[in-house]
């Protein structure tokens, strides 16, 4: 410890900063404990339906038609496998609309050649704005498939074109590089059938396919990846979906439905103007707009997350690409928060203004800054004698211990209710990852989020390049335990 004379104001300032850092951390921890409780309660009161055949018996006759919107930009590597996966979905009435958003590679050519599509005419609305459509393509052999070729405008622009072309009362937005499980739609539509007057949107679970066996556009056997970054992201996705979104849905303050898999009522999406342009957080922004719209109309509504329907996607296994993705996510959250900041703690918007936006402010706006400042400042203050060692130890112990506790508790929820990981060794590996990630990866992740904040203040636009390996096909293997 250094022996330095400090004035009274410096000591007071240092103590205040340290207390703000520790207090904000404790506030986050308290909110995570509440989330764990609500997530467990939700799974206990609404357990997953194991057999999709039961869902067919209950909901097939009442299930409304769905348009599955798959925007594609430079997806040449995975597009055919993804579309095959979508066409094989088990749902009574659905249409797959692939929107080629001005790809510069061979995405459109692969679609037209592989599926034998020809140019067709079809009337479509222009209710929400998007870049011009260059052509529509279909085939009598595949009546469920329609390809929209349009000029490049970004993901939100492509989804708006899909909403205009769609005719179904519900649309499902997905990423073209993702794989939906065959029963994902019948599981996701369940809340719309049970509460047709109130339901606005439903989100499903996103899981990582890295390492798993895939054949004919299906995940046939769940396996853990050998890449450490992919393993850590599996834990992150479990926490994000099985804890946070399940709990926020239970509280009716869900502000995010992943762009990789969400089900929306088309009429309401049109009423709020579809997806907004000029943001990389268009999925979050649409959900917040729907909250605002329904609150302004003073209508009862529900926006839910249910854990059973699964969409598989590919996680980055490279630090550069992962960092680019995380800074973009942070930028998207801040863009939405800034655009709708008048909802924060505004009684007009009820629990979504207080709890939903309060959570965004604590976790997304303040969280990365406070944690990075804490890592840098608290040990420094202790070194110069301005912080009691008890504060330092309390901060480090609570931060790391609780980070591990949340991850392990999420794994327990997963194993008790969903059981997607077939072997005990998988759970042991993930538990070890939940411990190791707190030392190095967690700090790096916060730096990426700080970089995203810097990009937000610099008003950076665009997604950046995302290189994909493509799903690795494999010989059929024994099915995963479900």
């Amino acid at each position: 410890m250094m022996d330095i004379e400090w004035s009274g104001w410096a000591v007071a300032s240092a103590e205040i900063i340290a207390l703000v850092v520790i207090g904000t951390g404790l506030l986050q921890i308290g909110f995570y404990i509440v989330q764990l409780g609500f997530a467990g309660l939700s799974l206990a009161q609404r357990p997953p339906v194991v057999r999709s055949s039961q869902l067919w018996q209950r909901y097939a006759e009442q299930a409304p038609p769905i348009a599955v919107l798959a925007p594609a930009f430079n997806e040449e590597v995975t597009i055919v496998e993804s579309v095959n996966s979508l066409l094989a979905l088990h749902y009574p009435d659905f249409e797959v609309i692939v929107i080629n958003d001005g790809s510069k590679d061979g995405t459109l050519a692969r679609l037209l050649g592989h599926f034998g599509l020809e140019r067709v005419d079809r009337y479509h609305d222009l209710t929400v704005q998007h870049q011009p459509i260059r052509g529509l393509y279909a085939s009598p052999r595949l009546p469920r498939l329609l390809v929209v070729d349009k000029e490049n405008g970004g993901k939100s622009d492509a989804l708006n074109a899909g909403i205009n072309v769609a005719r179904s009362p519900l649309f499902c937005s997905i990423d073209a590089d993702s794989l939906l499980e065959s029963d994902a739609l019948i599981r996701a539509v369940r809340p719309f059938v049970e509460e047709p007057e109130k339901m606005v949107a439903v989100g499903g679970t996103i899981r990582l396919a890295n390492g798993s066996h895939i054949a004919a556009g299906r995940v046939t056997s769940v396996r853990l990846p050998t890449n450490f970054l992919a393993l850590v992201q599996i834990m992150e996705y479990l926490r994000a979906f099985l804890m946070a979104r399940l709990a926020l849905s239970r509280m009716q303050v869900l502000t995010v439905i992943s762009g990789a898999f969400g089900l929306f009522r088309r009429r309401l999406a049109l009423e709020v103007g579809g997806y907004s342009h000029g943001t990389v957080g268009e999925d979050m922004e649409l959900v917040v707009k729907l909250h605002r719209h329904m609150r302004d109309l003073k209508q009862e509504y529900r926006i839910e997350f249910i854990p059973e329907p699964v969409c598989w996607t590919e996680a980055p296994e490279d630090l550069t690409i992962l960092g680019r993705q995380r800074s973009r996510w942070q930028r998207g959250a801040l863009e939405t928060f800034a655009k709708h900041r008048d909802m924060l703690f505004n009684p007009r918007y009820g629990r979504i203004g207080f709890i939903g936006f309060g959570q965004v402010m604590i976790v997304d706006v303040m969280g990365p800054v406070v944690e990075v400042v804490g890592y840098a400042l608290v040990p420094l203050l202790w070194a110069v004698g301005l912080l009691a060692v008890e504060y330092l130890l309390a901060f480090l112990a609570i931060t790391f211990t609780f980070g591990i506790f949340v991850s392990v508790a999420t794994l327990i929820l997963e194993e008790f209710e969903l059981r997607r990981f077939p072997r005990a060794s998988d759970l042991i590996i993930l538990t070890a990852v939940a411990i190791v990630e707190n030392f190095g990866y967690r700090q790096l992740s916060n730096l990426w989020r700080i970089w995203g904040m810097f990009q937000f203040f610099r008003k950076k636009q665009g997604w950046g390049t995302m290189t994909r390996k493509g799903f690795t096909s494999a010989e059929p293997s024994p099915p995963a335990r479900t």
Side-chain angles (χ1 to χ4, degrees):
M1 188 181 301
M2 298 170 63
D3 187 13
I4 299 175
E5 289 288 336
W6 294 88
S7 60
W9 68 267
V11 174
S13 300
E15 288 180 349
I16 290 172
I17 291 172
L19 288 174
V20 167
V21 169
I22 293 172
T24 305
L26 291 175
L27 196 59
Q28 275 190 318
I29 288 171
F31 198 73
Y32 288 147
I33 289 175
V34 172
Q35 286 185 346
L36 271 174
F38 271 90
L41 182 67
S42 180
L43 284 173
Q45 292 188 343
R46 193 181 190 180
V49 177
V50 177
R51 296 180 181 277
S52 56
S53 58
Q54 293 178 336
L55 291 168
W56 272 87
Q57 291 174 356
R58 293 180 194 173
Y59 304 116
E61 290 187 0
Q62 307 167 63
I66 295 175
V68 180
L69 309 184
F73 176 72
N74 291 350
E75 305 285 357
E76 180 181 8
V77 176
T78 58
I79 192 65
V80 169
E81 196 160 29
S82 297
V83 172
N84 277 328
S85 167
L86 295 175
L87 292 174
L89 289 171
H90 296 169
Y91 190 77
D93 188 357
F94 72 99
E95 179 182 36
V96 176
I97 300 177
V98 181
I99 307 106
N100 178 49
D101 190 38
S103 295
K104 297 175 182 176
D105 64 359
T107 300
L108 182 62
R110 287 215 68 193
L111 284 167
L112 300 186
H114 185 86
F115 296 103
L117 305 178
E118 297 180 356
R119 193 176 184 112
V120 296
D121 291 323
R122 170 166 158 172
Y123 172 79
H124 58 272
D125 291 330
L126 293 173
T127 307
V128 291
Q129 293 184 344
H130 55 76
Q131 291 295 314
I133 291 176
R134 297 187 292 214
L136 304 176
Y137 298 88
S139 166
R141 294 189 302 105
L142 297 167
R144 291 191 187 280
L145 177 61
L146 178 72
V147 170
V148 178
D149 180 37
K150 64 179 283 295
E151 294 181 9
N152 179 258
K155 183 180 177 184
S156 57
D157 193 80
L159 286 168
N160 282 345
I163 295 172
N164 273 341
V165 172
R167 287 290 172 268
S168 304
L170 303 181
F171 72 87
C172 176
S173 64
I174 67 161
D175 287 340
D177 58 353
S178 301
L179 304 175
L180 282 182
E181 290 196 341
S182 60
D183 61 359
L185 290 183
I186 195 69
R187 290 185 181 278
V189 84
R190 178 181 172 186
F192 281 99
V193 175
E194 291 176 344
E195 296 189 88
E197 301 299 325
K198 295 182 181 177
M199 199 55 56
V200 171
V202 171
T205 299
I206 310 299
R207 287 179 182 261
L208 301 185
N210 301 54
S212 294
H213 292 271
I214 297 170
R218 288 279 175 271
V219 175
T220 55
S221 180
V222 177
R223 294 286 186 273
L224 291 182
T226 55
N227 180 278
F228 176 73
L229 284 179
L231 278 170
V232 173
Q233 290 174 81
I234 286 178
M235 280 308 310
E236 288 182 321
Y237 275 65
L238 284 176
R239 286 194 299 268
F241 287 91
L242 278 188
M243 185 189 75
R245 297 194 187 180
L246 189 56
L248 295 173
S249 170
R250 178 76 186 180
M251 291 185 261
Q252 275 300 292
V253 294
L254 186 65
T255 55
V256 181
I257 288 178
S258 172
F261 182 29
L263 201 56
F264 297 86
R265 195 170 293 284
R266 179 173 175 267
R267 173 181 60 80
L268 292 173
L270 290 173
E271 286 180 7
V272 299
Y275 289 89
S276 296
H277 294 185
T279 175
V280 293
E282 72 288 331
D283 44 3
M284 179 179 181
E285 214 268 335
L286 176 62
V287 175
V288 172
K289 280 198 301 187
L290 289 169
H291 276 296
R292 176 190 285 273
H293 184 60
M294 300 306 291
R295 288 275 176 179
D296 287 342
L297 293 176
K298 297 184 175 8
Q299 291 184 5
E300 287 190 50
Y301 71 101
R302 296 188 69 81
I303 295 178
E304 288 202 356
F305 166 80
I306 50 176
E308 307 103 288
V310 169
C311 174
W312 296 90
T313 191
E314 176 192 358
E317 296 185 355
D318 173 271
L319 275 176
T320 302
I321 297 174
L322 180 59
R324 200 175 291 155
Q325 180 195 63
R326 295 310 164 89
S327 60
R328 190 184 70 238
W329 287 0
Q330 178 70 16
R331 188 158 36 105
L334 293 179
E335 286 171 352
T336 300
F337 184 80
K339 186 173 181 180
H340 298 277
R341 59 187 179 278
D342 61 310
M343 294 175 69
L344 178 65
F345 302 143
N346 186 338
R348 178 186 181 91
Y349 298 103
R351 66 180 70 182
I352 189 66
F354 280 89
I355 303 175
F357 262 64
Q359 185 257 352
V360 173
M361 187 181 72
I362 292 171
V363 174
D364 294 316
V365 179
M366 297 176 63
V369 175
V370 168
E371 191 155 342
V372 169
V373 168
Y375 288 135
L377 199 57
V378 174
L380 181 64
L381 293 175
W382 171 79
V384 297
L386 290 180
L387 181 68
V389 68
E390 295 82 31
Y391 283 134
L392 174 63
L393 293 177
F395 177 77
L396 295 177
I398 291 175
T399 300
F400 290 106
T401 303
F402 193 77
I404 295 167
F405 169 73
V406 167
S407 299
V408 172
T410 308
L411 273 177
I412 292 172
L413 284 179
E414 147 71 31
E415 184 57 18
F416 269 104
E417 297 294 342
L418 301 176
R419 300 183 178 181
R420 290 282 182 166
F421 298 106
R423 293 172 298 279
S425 59
D426 292 342
L427 297 175
I428 294 172
I429 292 171
L430 289 176
T431 302
V433 170
I435 297 171
V436 173
E437 69 168 330
N438 287 280
F439 305 95
Y441 177 79
R442 177 171 173 164
Q443 293 73 25
L444 183 59
S445 180
N446 275 310
L447 290 177
W448 287 331
R449 296 174 72 188
I450 294 288
W451 181 246
M453 298 180 82
F454 177 73
Q455 292 176 330
F456 166 73
F457 288 115
R458 291 283 306 272
K459 301 186 184 303
K460 177 181 170 65
Q461 295 291 316
W463 279 53
T465 303
M466 295 293 292
T467 306
R468 296 191 181 279
K469 293 166 58 180
F471 293 112
T472 303
S473 297
E475 293 298 321
S477 52
R481 187 176 67 183
T482 58

